[in-house]
Amino acid sequence: MDAAQISGRTGKADPTGARRVRNSLFWAALIAGTGTLGGFISQFPYGLLYVGVLVVLAAAGLGAGVAGSNWNRAGAATIVGFGAMALGVFAGSNLNESYLKLLGERVDAVVLTSREYRNAKGDTRFSCRVAEPSGETHELDALRNCYDRVAPGGHVFLFKDRLGGLDPWMDTDGGRALDPLGLGITGGLFLLVGGTMFTAGQRRRSDRDLHAEHLRKHGPPWRSRRQA
């Protein structure tokens, strides 16, 4: 058989050798990178939460579709689909915190109010209203690290985006140390999604490959009916 196997579905030659490696790397970087980007976009205000969610879902659906339908790797499609969604969840908050702590402006602030409430779904949420020495106030929620441990009148630190795109990140500790656990989970999910996508691309199978594999295991259809 020719080195470029003909795909039963598309009729086009499957990439081989270096082309297959480049193609697999492209899809691995695209799906893992898009899932990470979508999670980070969801941290911005002005309704970008929904845009970020849509980007993450698109990455998960596209990755699962390519791995499962085009490459005939159902197991990889499942891992990529769920892994991309988990990556978006963890990457959003961890990259947001890391960016603000590393590059943000640190200012002192005082907690004016701290309350617990229930949203329309009945879930418990926390809300903090904090004020800077300049008089500027901010309404922060759990996404900005507002929790019940923060009491009214307490001293906190705000890490503010110098570009003004992200809401401040609140912390009771003014240190710029990053969360190793959160970043470790995010990095692990990135490698899981990208690595699974790359492996699936390297081991892709055409419909003709699946048919040949079926014949090797079960024989021609008439033989299967005869043995039955």
Side-chain angles (χ1 to χ4, degrees):
M1 181 179 293
D2 193 25
Q5 296 180 343
I6 304 300
S7 171
R9 175 179 292 110
T10 64
K12 297 179 180 180
D14 284 338
T16 57
R19 285 186 57 203
R20 174 171 291 196
V21 172
R22 290 194 300 268
N23 182 259
S24 301
L25 282 173
F26 167 79
W27 282 106
L30 177 66
I31 300 305
T34 303
T36 304
L37 177 63
F40 187 62
I41 291 176
S42 67
Q43 301 296 305
F44 285 83
Y46 315 115
L48 288 180
L49 167 65
Y50 304 102
V51 176
V53 170
L54 289 177
V55 172
V56 172
L57 292 178
L62 179 62
V66 171
S69 298
N70 292 6
W71 297 343
N72 290 304
R73 289 293 176 182
T78 302
I79 295 175
V80 169
F82 286 102
M85 289 188 287
L87 175 61
V89 172
F90 283 95
S93 59
N94 285 294
L95 290 180
N96 172 68
E97 177 185 356
S98 300
Y99 165 72
L100 290 178
K101 279 194 171 183
L102 289 175
L103 302 177
E105 177 187 4
R106 183 178 60 189
V107 297
D108 294 326
V110 176
V111 178
L112 300 179
T113 60
S114 177
R115 66 185 183 90
E116 178 181 342
Y117 67 96
R118 292 186 180 275
N119 61 12
K121 297 181 180 180
D123 299 327
T124 301
R125 293 290 185 267
F126 297 99
S127 175
C128 300
R129 186 166 180 261
V130 299
E132 299 180 32
S134 63
E136 183 179 1
T137 61
H138 305 276
E139 294 285 346
L140 307 177
D141 56 13
L143 292 177
R144 305 294 105 188
N145 204 32
C146 167
Y147 292 102
D148 57 347
R149 67 175 181 270
V150 182
H155 175 249
V156 295
F157 296 91
L158 296 180
F159 294 90
K160 301 176 61 177
D161 183 7
R162 299 180 189 274
L163 301 177
L166 292 167
D167 290 332
W169 177 270
M170 187 179 75
D171 203 346
T172 55
D173 180 6
R176 294 185 181 270
L178 304 181
D179 176 19
L181 178 60
L183 291 177
I185 294 175
T186 300
L189 287 171
F190 186 93
L191 292 177
L192 174 66
V193 173
T196 302
M197 200 70 190
F198 177 79
T199 302
Q202 289 296 95
R203 301 179 61 207
R204 68 187 70 184
R205 299 177 295 185
S206 66
D207 289 347
R208 178 172 296 184
D209 295 330
L210 291 179
H211 180 65
E213 182 177 343
H214 178 80
L215 290 180
R216 287 195 300 270
K217 290 182 178 180
H218 305 286
W222 63 268
R223 184 184 300 175
S224 300
R225 289 196 298 268
R226 183 177 180 181
Q227 291 177 350

